[in-house]
Amino acid sequence: VGIEDPDTFNNFYIYPNPANEFLVINGIRNESVALYNSIGMLVKELKTENKINLSELKEGLYLIQVTDSMGKKIQSEKILIMR
């Protein structure tokens, strides 16, 4: 019995973490990506983009959530933006 690495769950790999200007998600196809700030406010929403520009966001802790085309949550991951 093993524990899966959360960064590679469902064949997604999210990097770098901490991030600066960009965040990359490898393995994304027809999924949506939403970024929430530390108080749960949606700050960015994208569809099928694997390189996310973070330059307009402030430093801090964010939650990235990947959902499939039916709206089912596939993966959630905390990311830190540091400059």
Side-chain angles (χ1 to χ4, degrees), residues 43-83:
V43 293
K44 192 167 194 119
E45 192 167 28
L46 307 159
K47 208 154 193 59
T48 65
E49 290 185 36
N50 67 340
K51 189 172 185 181
I52 301 170
N53 184 345
L54 303 173
S55 62
E56 73 278 2
L57 299 177
K58 296 180 181 180
E59 287 188 336
L61 186 63
Y62 291 83
L63 177 71
I64 187 166
Q65 188 172 38
V66 180
T67 56
D68 66 14
S69 60
M70 303 293 279
K72 181 182 174 191
K73 183 173 71 169
I74 297 173
Q75 182 175 348
S76 293
E77 189 72 35
K78 292 178 190 172
I79 62 160
L80 182 62
I81 298 177
M82 293 178 62
R83 299 199 170 84

Side-chain angles (χ1 to χ4, degrees), residues 17-36:
N17 195 6
N20 185 348
E21 297 295 318
F22 290 95
L23 184 70
V24 177
I25 305 174
N26 281 346
I28 195 165
R29 302 253 188 293
N30 293 319
E31 292 81 15
S32 297
V33 177
L35 229 60
Y36 298 90

